[in-house]
Amino acid sequence: MLIGVPKETLPGEKRVATVPDVVEKLVKLGFSVAVESGAGDAANFADDIYRAAGAQVVPIAADIWGKSDIVFKVRPPTPDEVAMLREGGTLIGFVWPAQNPELMQQLAAKKATVLAIDALPRQLSRAQKMDALTSMAGISGYRAVIEAANAFGRFFNGQVTAAGKVPPAKVFIAGAGVAGLAAIGTAANLGAIVRANDTRAEVADQVKSLGGEFVKVDYEEEGSGGGGYAKVMSEGFQAAQREMYAQQAKDADIIITTALIPGKPAPRLITAEMVKSMKPGSVIVDMAAEQGGNCELCVPGEAVVRHGVTIIGYTDLASRLAKQSSTLYSNNLLRLTEELCKTKDGVINVNMEDDAIRGLTVIKEGEVTWPAPPPKLPAVAPKPAAKPVAAPAAKGHGHGASEPMSGQSLAIVFGVGALLFLLVGMYAPASFLSHFTVFVLACFVGYMVIWNVTPSLHTPLMSVTNAISSIIAIGALVQIAPPLTGDAANRPNMLILGLAVFALALTAVNMFGGFAVTRRMLAMFHK
Protein backbone atom coordinates (compact mmCIF):
# COMPACT_ATOMS: atom_id res chain seq x y z
CA MET A 1 0.00 0.00 0.00
CA LEU A 2 1.08 3.57 -0.72
CA ILE A 3 1.29 6.12 2.10
CA GLY A 4 0.96 9.71 0.92
CA VAL A 5 2.17 12.77 2.84
CA PRO A 6 0.76 16.04 1.46
CA LYS A 7 2.00 19.51 2.30
CA GLU A 8 0.02 21.25 5.04
CA THR A 9 -2.07 24.07 3.57
CA LEU A 10 -3.15 25.93 6.72
CA PRO A 11 -1.37 29.31 6.79
CA GLY A 12 1.54 29.25 9.23
CA GLU A 13 1.56 25.47 9.68
CA LYS A 14 5.15 24.26 9.39
CA ARG A 15 4.84 20.65 10.53
CA VAL A 16 4.93 17.62 8.28
CA ALA A 17 3.27 14.29 9.04
CA THR A 18 6.31 12.09 8.33
CA VAL A 19 10.05 12.71 8.60
CA PRO A 20 12.80 10.91 6.65
CA ASP A 21 13.85 8.67 9.55
CA VAL A 22 10.31 7.34 9.83
CA VAL A 23 10.07 6.86 6.05
CA GLU A 24 12.84 4.26 6.28
CA LYS A 25 10.90 2.37 8.96
CA LEU A 26 7.66 2.50 6.99
CA VAL A 27 9.46 1.03 3.99
CA LYS A 28 10.70 -1.83 6.20
CA LEU A 29 7.08 -2.50 7.15
CA GLY A 30 6.33 -3.08 3.48
CA PHE A 31 4.81 0.28 2.52
CA SER A 32 5.67 2.65 -0.28
CA VAL A 33 5.84 6.33 0.69
CA ALA A 34 5.14 9.38 -1.47
CA VAL A 35 5.78 12.93 -0.17
CA GLU A 36 4.58 16.11 -1.82
CA SER A 37 7.45 18.31 -2.93
CA GLY A 38 8.20 20.96 -0.33
CA ALA A 39 6.13 19.29 2.40
CA GLY A 40 9.05 19.24 4.82
CA ASP A 41 10.80 22.46 3.85
CA ALA A 42 9.41 24.53 6.74
CA ALA A 43 10.58 21.84 9.19
CA ASN A 44 14.06 21.67 7.59
CA PHE A 45 13.47 18.34 5.81
CA ALA A 46 14.43 18.84 2.17
CA ASP A 47 13.09 16.74 -0.72
CA ASP A 48 16.51 15.19 -1.31
CA ILE A 49 16.55 13.83 2.25
CA TYR A 50 13.19 12.15 1.65
CA ARG A 51 14.48 10.62 -1.59
CA ALA A 52 17.57 9.29 0.20
CA ALA A 53 15.29 7.68 2.80
CA GLY A 54 13.36 5.80 0.10
CA ALA A 55 10.35 8.05 -0.53
CA GLN A 56 9.00 9.29 -3.84
CA VAL A 57 8.75 13.07 -4.12
CA VAL A 58 5.61 14.04 -6.02
CA PRO A 59 5.20 17.62 -7.29
CA ILE A 60 1.38 17.67 -7.48
CA ALA A 61 -0.83 17.48 -4.37
CA ALA A 62 -3.70 15.88 -6.33
CA ASP A 63 -1.49 12.86 -7.07
CA ILE A 64 -0.80 12.41 -3.35
CA TRP A 65 -4.48 12.55 -2.42
CA GLY A 66 -5.82 10.65 -5.42
CA LYS A 67 -3.29 7.80 -5.67
CA SER A 68 -2.39 7.07 -2.06
CA ASP A 69 -4.08 4.22 -0.18
CA ILE A 70 -3.33 5.97 3.14
CA VAL A 71 -2.86 9.71 3.70
CA PHE A 72 -0.91 10.97 6.72
CA LYS A 73 -1.97 14.46 7.77
CA VAL A 74 -1.35 16.89 10.63
CA ARG A 75 -4.21 19.38 10.43
CA PRO A 76 -7.79 18.36 9.49
CA PRO A 77 -8.23 18.34 5.71
CA THR A 78 -9.99 21.19 3.93
CA PRO A 79 -13.05 20.56 1.70
CA ASP A 80 -10.80 20.87 -1.38
CA GLU A 81 -8.44 18.22 0.02
CA VAL A 82 -11.36 15.90 0.83
CA ALA A 83 -12.52 16.29 -2.77
CA MET A 84 -9.12 15.02 -3.96
CA LEU A 85 -9.12 12.01 -1.60
CA ARG A 86 -9.54 8.73 -3.46
CA GLU A 87 -12.78 6.81 -3.00
CA GLY A 88 -12.42 4.33 -0.14
CA GLY A 89 -9.07 5.72 0.95
CA THR A 90 -7.76 5.95 4.52
CA LEU A 91 -6.96 9.19 6.33
CA ILE A 92 -4.88 9.34 9.52
CA GLY A 93 -4.34 12.59 11.42
CA PHE A 94 -6.03 15.19 13.59
CA VAL A 95 -9.72 15.42 12.71
CA TRP A 96 -11.55 16.69 15.82
CA PRO A 97 -14.87 15.03 14.95
CA ALA A 98 -16.87 16.89 17.64
CA GLN A 99 -15.83 20.28 16.25
CA ASN A 100 -16.06 19.33 12.54
CA PRO A 101 -19.40 17.58 11.83
CA GLU A 102 -19.47 18.82 8.24
CA LEU A 103 -15.99 17.43 7.59
CA MET A 104 -17.15 14.08 8.97
CA GLN A 105 -20.04 13.98 6.52
CA GLN A 106 -17.77 14.87 3.60
CA LEU A 107 -15.33 12.11 4.50
CA ALA A 108 -18.16 9.60 4.98
CA ALA A 109 -19.46 10.47 1.49
CA LYS A 110 -16.05 9.45 0.13
CA LYS A 111 -16.47 5.97 1.71
CA ALA A 112 -13.25 6.73 3.55
CA THR A 113 -11.81 5.11 6.65
CA VAL A 114 -10.69 7.83 9.04
CA LEU A 115 -8.48 7.36 12.10
CA ALA A 116 -8.51 10.52 14.22
CA ILE A 117 -5.34 10.61 16.29
CA ASP A 118 -7.07 13.06 18.66
CA ALA A 119 -9.71 10.41 19.52
CA LEU A 120 -7.17 7.97 20.97
CA PRO A 121 -8.34 6.42 24.28
CA ARG A 122 -5.59 7.95 26.41
CA GLN A 123 -6.52 5.89 29.48
CA LEU A 124 -5.08 2.79 27.79
CA SER A 125 -1.45 2.46 28.89
CA ARG A 126 -0.38 0.69 25.70
CA ALA A 127 -1.78 3.60 23.65
CA GLN A 128 0.76 6.07 25.07
CA LYS A 129 3.20 5.44 22.24
CA MET A 130 0.54 6.68 19.78
CA ASP A 131 -0.57 9.66 21.88
CA ALA A 132 0.10 12.63 19.62
CA LEU A 133 -1.94 14.95 21.85
CA THR A 134 0.56 14.43 24.65
CA SER A 135 3.52 14.87 22.30
CA MET A 136 2.22 18.15 20.91
CA ALA A 137 1.06 19.44 24.30
CA GLY A 138 4.52 18.95 25.79
CA ILE A 139 6.11 20.94 22.96
CA SER A 140 3.46 23.67 23.22
CA GLY A 141 4.04 24.04 26.96
CA TYR A 142 7.76 24.47 26.43
CA ARG A 143 7.24 26.96 23.61
CA ALA A 144 4.74 28.97 25.67
CA VAL A 145 7.47 29.74 28.20
CA ILE A 146 9.89 30.70 25.42
CA GLU A 147 7.31 33.09 23.95
CA ALA A 148 6.68 34.55 27.39
CA ALA A 149 10.43 35.04 27.96
CA ASN A 150 10.70 36.78 24.59
CA ALA A 151 7.93 39.26 25.47
CA PHE A 152 9.00 39.73 29.10
CA GLY A 153 11.35 42.60 29.90
CA ARG A 154 13.57 40.87 32.48
CA PHE A 155 15.54 37.76 33.28
CA PHE A 156 13.63 34.79 34.61
CA ASN A 157 16.22 34.04 37.29
CA GLY A 158 17.14 36.50 40.01
CA GLN A 159 20.57 38.06 39.77
CA VAL A 160 22.75 40.33 41.90
CA THR A 161 25.12 42.35 39.73
CA ALA A 162 27.31 45.38 40.12
CA ALA A 163 24.68 47.35 38.21
CA GLY A 164 21.89 46.34 40.58
CA LYS A 165 19.67 43.54 41.81
CA VAL A 166 17.26 41.72 39.47
CA PRO A 167 14.38 39.87 41.20
CA PRO A 168 13.30 36.49 39.83
CA ALA A 169 10.22 36.40 37.61
CA LYS A 170 7.01 35.07 39.14
CA VAL A 171 5.18 32.69 36.83
CA PHE A 172 1.65 31.39 37.46
CA ILE A 173 0.41 28.46 35.37
CA ALA A 174 -3.31 27.70 35.24
CA GLY A 175 -3.72 24.01 34.50
CA ALA A 176 -1.16 21.30 35.24
CA GLY A 177 -1.87 18.84 32.45
CA VAL A 178 0.84 17.76 30.01
CA ALA A 179 1.31 21.26 28.60
CA GLY A 180 1.19 22.86 32.04
CA LEU A 181 3.75 20.46 33.49
CA ALA A 182 6.07 21.10 30.55
CA ALA A 183 5.71 24.84 31.14
CA ILE A 184 6.37 24.41 34.88
CA GLY A 185 9.57 22.47 34.28
CA THR A 186 10.82 24.94 31.66
CA ALA A 187 10.09 28.05 33.73
CA ALA A 188 11.61 26.53 36.87
CA ASN A 189 14.75 25.54 34.96
CA LEU A 190 15.07 29.14 33.77
CA GLY A 191 15.13 30.24 37.41
CA ALA A 192 11.63 31.67 37.85
CA ILE A 193 9.43 31.31 40.92
CA VAL A 194 6.68 29.04 39.60
CA ARG A 195 3.20 28.56 41.01
CA ALA A 196 0.52 26.38 39.45
CA ASN A 197 -3.07 25.34 39.97
CA ASP A 198 -5.24 22.53 38.68
CA THR A 199 -8.68 21.20 39.51
CA ARG A 200 -7.16 17.74 39.97
CA ALA A 201 -5.61 17.59 43.41
CA GLU A 202 -3.51 14.52 42.53
CA VAL A 203 -1.20 16.57 40.27
CA ALA A 204 0.12 18.58 43.24
CA ASP A 205 3.02 16.16 43.74
CA GLN A 206 3.93 16.40 40.04
CA VAL A 207 4.00 20.19 40.25
CA LYS A 208 6.29 20.07 43.29
CA SER A 209 8.59 17.50 41.66
CA LEU A 210 9.20 19.91 38.77
CA GLY A 211 10.14 22.76 41.07
CA GLY A 212 6.78 24.51 41.29
CA GLU A 213 4.45 25.40 44.14
CA PHE A 214 0.88 24.07 43.99
CA VAL A 215 -1.74 26.71 44.78
CA LYS A 216 -4.90 25.11 46.12
CA VAL A 217 -8.38 26.55 45.67
CA ASP A 218 -10.16 27.02 48.98
CA TYR A 219 -13.05 24.77 47.95
CA GLU A 220 -13.34 21.00 48.25
CA GLU A 221 -14.36 19.30 45.01
CA GLU A 222 -12.86 16.47 42.96
CA GLY A 223 -11.82 17.67 39.49
CA SER A 224 -10.70 14.50 37.70
CA GLY A 225 -12.61 13.72 34.52
CA GLY A 226 -12.46 10.88 32.02
CA GLY A 227 -9.54 10.17 29.70
CA GLY A 228 -6.99 12.08 31.75
CA TYR A 229 -8.78 15.42 31.43
CA ALA A 230 -10.26 17.68 34.09
CA LYS A 231 -14.02 17.96 34.35
CA VAL A 232 -16.23 21.04 34.32
CA MET A 233 -16.41 22.26 37.91
CA SER A 234 -19.38 23.55 39.89
CA GLU A 235 -20.29 27.24 40.17
CA GLY A 236 -19.10 27.32 43.77
CA PHE A 237 -15.68 25.99 42.84
CA GLN A 238 -15.38 28.35 39.88
CA ALA A 239 -16.15 31.35 42.10
CA ALA A 240 -13.45 30.32 44.58
CA GLN A 241 -11.08 29.67 41.69
CA ARG A 242 -11.67 33.15 40.21
CA GLU A 243 -10.90 34.70 43.57
CA MET A 244 -7.62 32.80 43.74
CA TYR A 245 -6.74 33.77 40.15
CA ALA A 246 -7.41 37.43 40.96
CA GLN A 247 -4.89 37.25 43.82
CA GLN A 248 -2.28 35.52 41.66
CA ALA A 249 -2.75 38.04 38.82
CA LYS A 250 -1.77 40.92 41.11
CA ASP A 251 1.46 39.18 42.12
CA ALA A 252 2.51 37.31 38.96
CA ASP A 253 4.73 38.66 36.19
CA ILE A 254 3.72 35.93 33.72
CA ILE A 255 0.51 33.89 33.50
CA ILE A 256 0.27 30.82 31.24
CA THR A 257 -3.20 29.32 30.84
CA THR A 258 -3.70 25.77 29.56
CA ALA A 259 -7.28 24.94 30.61
CA LEU A 260 -9.15 23.20 27.81
CA ILE A 261 -11.53 20.25 27.59
CA PRO A 262 -11.82 18.72 24.07
CA GLY A 263 -15.13 19.45 22.39
CA LYS A 264 -15.96 22.35 24.71
CA PRO A 265 -15.23 26.10 24.54
CA ALA A 266 -12.24 27.20 26.59
CA PRO A 267 -13.30 28.32 30.10
CA ARG A 268 -12.82 32.00 30.93
CA LEU A 269 -10.28 32.12 33.74
CA ILE A 270 -8.63 35.54 33.38
CA THR A 271 -11.06 38.44 33.23
CA ALA A 272 -10.41 41.96 31.99
CA GLU A 273 -10.35 43.18 35.59
CA MET A 274 -7.58 40.68 36.40
CA VAL A 275 -5.58 41.92 33.42
CA LYS A 276 -5.96 45.52 34.64
CA SER A 277 -4.64 44.50 38.07
CA MET A 278 -1.41 43.07 36.63
CA LYS A 279 1.82 45.03 36.68
CA PRO A 280 2.75 46.92 33.48
CA GLY A 281 5.05 44.81 31.33
CA SER A 282 3.49 41.52 32.48
CA VAL A 283 2.75 38.73 30.00
CA ILE A 284 -0.16 36.32 29.51
CA VAL A 285 0.25 33.31 27.20
CA ASP A 286 -3.17 31.81 26.40
CA MET A 287 -2.61 28.25 25.17
CA ALA A 288 -6.37 27.73 24.73
CA ALA A 289 -6.64 30.56 22.19
CA GLU A 290 -7.68 28.23 19.35
CA GLN A 291 -10.89 27.40 21.24
CA GLY A 292 -11.66 30.99 22.25
CA GLY A 293 -9.05 31.44 24.96
CA ASN A 294 -8.92 31.38 28.76
CA CYS A 295 -8.28 35.13 28.86
CA GLU A 296 -11.19 37.45 28.14
CA LEU A 297 -8.99 39.86 26.16
CA CYS A 298 -7.16 37.21 24.09
CA VAL A 299 -7.13 37.55 20.32
CA PRO A 300 -6.58 34.08 18.73
CA GLY A 301 -3.52 33.96 16.54
CA GLU A 302 -2.13 37.31 17.66
CA ALA A 303 -0.11 38.97 20.39
CA VAL A 304 -1.82 42.14 21.64
CA VAL A 305 -1.15 44.65 24.43
CA ARG A 306 -4.03 45.48 26.77
CA HIS A 307 -3.66 47.70 29.84
CA GLY A 308 0.12 47.41 29.55
CA VAL A 309 -0.01 43.61 29.52
CA THR A 310 1.12 41.56 26.51
CA ILE A 311 -1.46 38.85 25.77
CA ILE A 312 -0.14 36.12 23.45
CA GLY A 313 -2.81 34.05 21.73
CA TYR A 314 -0.74 32.10 19.22
CA THR A 315 -2.48 28.98 17.93
CA ASP A 316 0.63 27.42 16.38
CA LEU A 317 2.92 26.93 19.37
CA ALA A 318 3.84 23.36 18.40
CA SER A 319 4.43 24.47 14.82
CA ARG A 320 6.95 27.04 16.05
CA LEU A 321 9.21 24.08 16.88
CA ALA A 322 8.43 22.41 13.58
CA LYS A 323 11.35 20.00 13.35
CA GLN A 324 10.91 18.64 16.87
CA SER A 325 7.12 18.42 16.71
CA SER A 326 7.20 16.78 13.26
CA THR A 327 9.62 14.16 14.53
CA LEU A 328 7.51 13.27 17.56
CA TYR A 329 4.25 13.31 15.60
CA SER A 330 5.61 11.08 12.86
CA ASN A 331 6.83 8.64 15.51
CA ASN A 332 3.30 8.52 16.94
CA LEU A 333 1.92 7.70 13.48
CA LEU A 334 4.61 5.08 13.00
CA ARG A 335 3.57 3.29 16.20
CA LEU A 336 -0.03 3.41 15.05
CA THR A 337 0.96 1.97 11.68
CA GLU A 338 2.79 -0.86 13.42
CA GLU A 339 -0.44 -1.68 15.28
CA LEU A 340 -2.38 -1.62 12.00
CA CYS A 341 0.19 -3.74 10.15
CA LYS A 342 1.37 -6.40 12.58
CA THR A 343 2.14 -8.77 9.69
CA LYS A 344 4.68 -6.26 8.26
CA ASP A 345 3.46 -6.92 4.71
CA GLY A 346 2.47 -3.35 3.82
CA VAL A 347 -1.26 -3.93 4.32
CA ILE A 348 -3.21 -2.41 7.20
CA ASN A 349 -5.99 -4.10 9.16
CA VAL A 350 -8.37 -1.77 11.02
CA ASN A 351 -9.27 -4.19 13.79
CA MET A 352 -12.41 -2.89 15.49
CA GLU A 353 -11.97 -5.45 18.28
CA ASP A 354 -8.86 -3.61 19.44
CA ASP A 355 -9.91 -0.94 21.94
CA ALA A 356 -7.19 1.51 20.88
CA ILE A 357 -7.93 1.14 17.15
CA ARG A 358 -11.68 1.23 17.78
CA GLY A 359 -11.35 4.50 19.67
CA LEU A 360 -9.29 6.06 16.88
CA THR A 361 -11.61 4.98 14.07
CA VAL A 362 -14.25 7.67 13.62
CA ILE A 363 -15.32 6.52 10.13
CA LYS A 364 -15.05 2.95 8.81
CA GLU A 365 -15.56 2.54 5.06
CA GLY A 366 -18.00 5.44 4.91
CA GLU A 367 -19.89 4.58 8.10
CA VAL A 368 -19.53 7.05 10.96
CA THR A 369 -18.42 5.10 14.05
CA TRP A 370 -17.79 8.05 16.34
CA PRO A 371 -18.14 8.30 19.29
CA ALA A 372 -16.59 4.98 20.28
CA PRO A 373 -17.88 3.01 23.26
CA PRO A 374 -15.76 3.23 26.42
CA PRO A 375 -12.74 0.91 26.22
CA LYS A 376 -12.77 -2.28 28.23
CA LEU A 377 -10.32 -1.51 31.01
CA PRO A 378 -8.86 -4.44 32.98
CA ALA A 379 -10.81 -5.19 36.12
CA VAL A 380 -9.20 -3.97 39.31
CA ALA A 381 -8.41 -6.84 41.64
CA PRO A 382 -10.51 -6.59 44.82
CA LYS A 383 -8.66 -5.72 47.96
CA PRO A 384 -8.18 -8.68 50.29
CA ALA A 385 -10.51 -8.65 53.22
CA ALA A 386 -8.95 -7.44 56.42
CA LYS A 387 -8.05 -10.23 58.76
CA PRO A 388 -10.01 -10.18 61.99
CA VAL A 389 -7.97 -9.07 64.94
CA ALA A 390 -7.79 -11.83 67.54
CA ALA A 391 -8.89 -10.84 71.00
CA PRO A 392 -6.04 -10.84 73.51
CA ALA A 393 -5.87 -13.98 75.59
CA ALA A 394 -6.70 -13.76 79.23
CA LYS A 395 -3.81 -13.59 81.68
CA GLY A 396 -2.61 -17.02 82.70
CA HIS A 397 -3.89 -18.76 79.54
CA GLY A 398 -0.91 -18.36 77.27
CA HIS A 399 0.00 -15.38 75.05
CA GLY A 400 -0.49 -14.24 71.44
CA ALA A 401 2.25 -14.02 68.83
CA SER A 402 2.89 -10.33 69.52
CA GLU A 403 2.52 -10.52 73.31
CA PRO A 404 5.77 -10.12 75.31
CA MET A 405 7.37 -13.25 76.72
CA SER A 406 6.20 -14.13 80.20
CA GLY A 407 8.56 -13.89 83.17
CA GLN A 408 8.67 -17.65 83.61
CA SER A 409 9.63 -18.30 79.98
CA LEU A 410 12.25 -15.56 80.10
CA ALA A 411 13.79 -17.09 83.21
CA ILE A 412 13.97 -20.51 81.48
CA VAL A 413 15.72 -19.04 78.43
CA PHE A 414 18.28 -17.21 80.52
CA GLY A 415 18.82 -20.31 82.68
CA VAL A 416 19.54 -22.49 79.64
CA GLY A 417 21.86 -19.83 78.26
CA ALA A 418 23.74 -19.54 81.53
CA LEU A 419 24.13 -23.34 81.71
CA LEU A 420 25.59 -23.43 78.19
CA PHE A 421 28.05 -20.66 79.03
CA LEU A 422 29.03 -22.52 82.23
CA LEU A 423 29.78 -25.70 80.26
CA VAL A 424 31.81 -23.74 77.73
CA GLY A 425 33.76 -22.01 80.51
CA MET A 426 34.53 -25.31 82.31
CA TYR A 427 35.68 -27.43 79.39
CA ALA A 428 36.72 -25.11 76.53
CA PRO A 429 40.36 -23.95 76.18
CA ALA A 430 41.18 -20.48 77.47
CA SER A 431 41.97 -19.20 73.95
CA PHE A 432 38.59 -20.40 72.64
CA LEU A 433 36.78 -18.77 75.56
CA SER A 434 38.29 -15.35 74.84
CA HIS A 435 37.39 -15.57 71.13
CA PHE A 436 33.91 -16.89 71.93
CA THR A 437 33.28 -13.96 74.29
CA VAL A 438 34.25 -11.48 71.57
CA PHE A 439 32.00 -13.33 69.11
CA VAL A 440 28.96 -13.19 71.42
CA LEU A 441 29.47 -9.53 72.19
CA ALA A 442 29.88 -8.75 68.46
CA CYS A 443 26.60 -10.53 67.68
CA PHE A 444 24.82 -8.59 70.40
CA VAL A 445 26.22 -5.23 69.30
CA GLY A 446 25.50 -5.96 65.64
CA TYR A 447 21.92 -6.96 66.42
CA MET A 448 21.30 -3.79 68.41
CA VAL A 449 22.83 -1.61 65.69
CA ILE A 450 20.72 -3.07 62.87
CA TRP A 451 17.51 -3.32 64.92
CA ASN A 452 17.56 0.40 65.80
CA VAL A 453 18.18 1.69 62.25
CA THR A 454 15.31 2.56 59.89
CA PRO A 455 14.87 -0.12 57.17
CA SER A 456 15.48 2.38 54.35
CA LEU A 457 19.09 2.75 55.55
CA HIS A 458 19.87 -0.95 55.89
CA THR A 459 21.68 -1.25 52.55
CA PRO A 460 24.21 1.61 53.08
CA LEU A 461 24.62 0.53 56.71
CA MET A 462 25.34 -3.08 55.77
CA SER A 463 27.81 -2.03 53.10
CA VAL A 464 29.80 -0.04 55.67
CA THR A 465 29.64 -2.73 58.33
CA ASN A 466 30.78 -5.28 55.75
CA ALA A 467 33.82 -3.16 55.07
CA ILE A 468 34.57 -2.56 58.74
CA SER A 469 33.98 -6.19 59.68
CA SER A 470 36.78 -7.12 57.34
CA ILE A 471 39.13 -7.00 60.29
CA ILE A 472 39.59 -10.65 59.40
CA ALA A 473 42.29 -9.28 57.11
CA ILE A 474 44.45 -8.78 60.21
CA GLY A 475 44.14 -12.47 61.05
CA ALA A 476 45.12 -13.43 57.53
CA LEU A 477 48.13 -11.13 57.66
CA VAL A 478 49.21 -12.69 60.99
CA GLN A 479 49.18 -16.12 59.36
CA ILE A 480 51.15 -14.89 56.35
CA ALA A 481 53.72 -12.86 58.34
CA PRO A 482 55.63 -15.70 60.19
CA PRO A 483 57.23 -17.10 57.00
CA LEU A 484 58.86 -13.73 56.48
CA THR A 485 60.09 -13.06 60.01
CA GLY A 486 59.87 -16.16 62.23
CA ASP A 487 61.77 -19.42 62.34
CA ALA A 488 60.72 -22.56 60.53
CA ALA A 489 59.11 -24.07 63.66
CA ASN A 490 56.56 -21.26 63.87
CA ARG A 491 55.65 -21.23 60.20
CA PRO A 492 52.15 -22.51 59.31
CA ASN A 493 51.76 -25.35 56.89
CA MET A 494 50.96 -24.63 53.27
CA LEU A 495 47.22 -25.32 53.68
CA ILE A 496 46.82 -22.65 56.34
CA LEU A 497 49.02 -20.28 54.35
CA GLY A 498 46.89 -20.82 51.22
CA LEU A 499 43.65 -20.27 53.12
CA ALA A 500 45.07 -17.08 54.62
CA VAL A 501 46.02 -15.70 51.20
CA PHE A 502 42.56 -16.63 49.83
CA ALA A 503 40.83 -15.01 52.82
CA LEU A 504 42.89 -11.87 52.39
CA ALA A 505 41.86 -11.59 48.71
CA LEU A 506 38.15 -12.04 49.49
CA THR A 507 38.37 -9.58 52.36
CA ALA A 508 39.96 -6.95 50.12
CA VAL A 509 37.02 -7.29 47.70
CA ASN A 510 34.61 -7.00 50.63
CA MET A 511 36.31 -3.89 51.98
CA PHE A 512 36.60 -1.94 48.73
CA GLY A 513 33.19 -3.13 47.50
CA GLY A 514 31.50 -2.10 50.74
CA PHE A 515 32.81 1.44 50.56
CA ALA A 516 32.06 1.67 46.82
CA VAL A 517 28.42 0.65 47.34
CA THR A 518 28.07 3.12 50.19
CA ARG A 519 29.51 5.93 48.07
CA ARG A 520 27.12 5.20 45.20
CA MET A 521 24.09 5.06 47.45
CA LEU A 522 24.93 8.31 49.20
CA ALA A 523 25.44 9.95 45.79
CA MET A 524 21.79 9.20 45.01
CA PHE A 525 20.79 11.78 47.61
CA HIS A 526 23.00 14.53 46.14
CA LYS A 527 21.66 16.89 43.48
Side-chain angles (χ1 to χ4, degrees):
M1 300 179 79
L2 175 63
I3 295 176
V5 182
K7 185 176 181 178
E8 298 296 322
T9 57
L10 186 73
E13 181 56 68
K14 300 177 181 178
R15 290 173 291 179
V16 61
T18 296
V19 300
D21 287 344
V22 171
V23 167
E24 296 178 357
K25 297 172 183 177
L26 291 171
V27 171
K28 290 179 180 179
L29 287 175
F31 295 96
S32 299
V33 181
V35 180
E36 183 181 350
S37 180
D41 286 350
N44 295 317
F45 297 111
D47 291 347
D48 290 340
I49 304 177
Y50 280 105
R51 290 191 184 95
Q56 310 169 42
V57 177
V58 179
I60 303 173
D63 290 341
I64 295 289
W65 286 96
K67 297 181 180 179
S68 300
D69 300 293
I70 307 167
V71 174
F72 282 0
K73 194 81 168 58
V74 179
R75 293 279 186 170
T78 64
D80 291 340
E81 290 173 327
V82 175
M84 292 187 290
L85 180 66
R86 64 176 289 183
E87 192 88 6
T90 299
L91 173 68
I92 302 177
F94 284 105
V95 177
W96 305 109
Q99 291 93 326
N100 298 305
E102 294 182 2
L103 173 62
M104 292 285 288
Q105 294 302 320
Q106 294 169 0
L107 290 167
K110 278 283 190 175
K111 306 296 181 185
T113 296
V114 181
L115 281 74
I117 200 70
D118 48 271
L120 179 75
R122 303 173 77 184
Q123 59 267 48
L124 297 177
S125 58
R126 68 182 186 84
Q128 293 177 1
K129 61 185 178 182
M130 302 177 277
D131 191 357
L133 282 174
T134 295
S135 300
M136 298 302 102
I139 293 174
S140 298
Y142 172 87
R143 184 68 191 194
V145 177
I146 301 303
E147 294 294 341
N150 182 55
F152 190 51
R154 293 206 321 262
F155 299 130
F156 264 45
N157 63 324
Q159 295 186 16
V160 178
T161 69
K165 181 180 179 181
V166 180
K170 296 179 180 178
V171 180
F172 177 70
I173 297 172
V178 175
L181 292 173
I184 291 167
T186 305
N189 288 336
L190 288 174
I193 297 173
V194 185
R195 300 187 182 97
N197 168 261
D198 196 279
T199 57
R200 297 160 292 184
E202 64 268 19
V203 305
D205 290 338
Q206 300 176 43
V207 172
K208 294 176 184 176
S209 69
L210 291 170
E213 175 189 348
F214 187 79
V215 182
K216 193 175 185 297
V217 177
D218 190 16
Y219 193 97
E220 293 298 329
E221 182 176 348
E222 175 56 42
S224 296
Y229 297 101
K231 71 175 185 180
V232 178
M233 307 301 286
S234 67
E235 283 296 329
F237 181 92
Q238 292 181 31
Q241 187 183 52
R242 283 193 293 271
E243 183 178 348
M244 183 269 292
Y245 283 160
Q247 295 174 355
Q248 293 297 324
K250 294 177 183 178
D251 187 51
D253 299 304
I254 296 169
I255 295 178
I256 299 175
T257 65
T258 70
L260 187 63
I261 299 175
K264 299 180 183 295
R268 296 293 190 190
L269 303 179
I270 309 298
T271 64
E273 291 298 322
M274 296 179 193
V275 175
K276 288 181 183 179
S277 70
M278 297 182 71
K279 292 169 283 190
S282 299
V283 179
I284 296 175
V285 181
D286 194 336
M287 295 185 63
E290 196 164 6
Q291 297 300 323
N294 297 136
C295 178
E296 187 177 353
L297 301 180
C298 172
V299 178
E302 298 181 20
V304 296
V305 179
R306 299 287 186 267
H307 308 293
V309 178
T310 302
I311 305 173
I312 299 173
Y314 296 149
T315 58
D316 59 347
L317 289 172
S319 184
R320 288 170 180 257
L321 288 170
K323 187 167 187 175
Q324 182 68 75
S325 55
S326 297
T327 301
L328 295 184
Y329 180 70
S330 61
N331 280 328
N332 293 138
L333 295 192
L334 170 65
R335 302 309 171 199
L336 172 57
T337 308
E338 290 174 343
E339 291 293 318
L340 294 170
C341 181
K342 294 183 177 180
T343 55
K344 299 183 179 181
D345 58 355
V347 178
I348 64 170
N349 174 31
V350 182
N351 180 13
M352 300 296 275
E353 299 299 320
D354 186 314
D355 282 341
I357 303 302
R358 174 64 187 90
L360 286 166
T361 307
V362 295
I363 301 175
K364 177 69 180 296
E365 297 174 356
E367 179 184 352
V368 177
T369 59
W370 184 87
K376 302 182 185 73
L377 297 177
V380 179
K383 294 183 179 179
K387 295 182 180 179
V389 179
K395 188 175 180 179
H397 295 278
H399 54 82
S402 59
E403 189 175 339
M405 188 180 297
S406 66
Q408 183 180 2
S409 301
L410 189 62
I412 295 174
V413 171
F414 272 97
V416 173
L419 181 61
L420 291 175
F421 275 99
L422 179 61
L423 294 174
V424 170
M426 290 175 62
Y427 298 102
S431 59
F432 173 81
L433 189 59
S434 62
H435 292 305
F436 183 70
T437 303
V438 173
F439 172 74
V440 172
L441 290 175
C443 290
F444 176 75
V445 172
Y447 172 79
M448 295 303 295
V449 168
I450 300 299
W451 184 260
N452 290 291
V453 171
T454 180
S456 61
L457 296 178
H458 278 179
T459 300
L461 173 68
M462 290 303 295
S463 61
V464 173
T465 53
N466 281 347
I468 297 174
S469 67
S470 296
I471 195 170
I472 192 173
I474 298 176
L477 291 172
V478 169
Q479 293 298 326
I480 296 174
L484 303 178
T485 59
D487 54 20
N490 293 327
R491 294 176 185 174
N493 60 37
M494 295 305 296
L495 176 61
I496 296 177
L497 183 61
L499 290 174
V501 172
F502 183 67
L504 185 61
L506 292 182
T507 303
V509 173
N510 196 35
M511 292 172 64
F512 290 106
F515 284 119
V517 170
T518 303
R519 183 180 180 85
R520 291 187 61 182
M521 291 207 64
L522 293 178
M524 294 171 61
F525 298 93
H526 295 163
K527 289 186 178 181

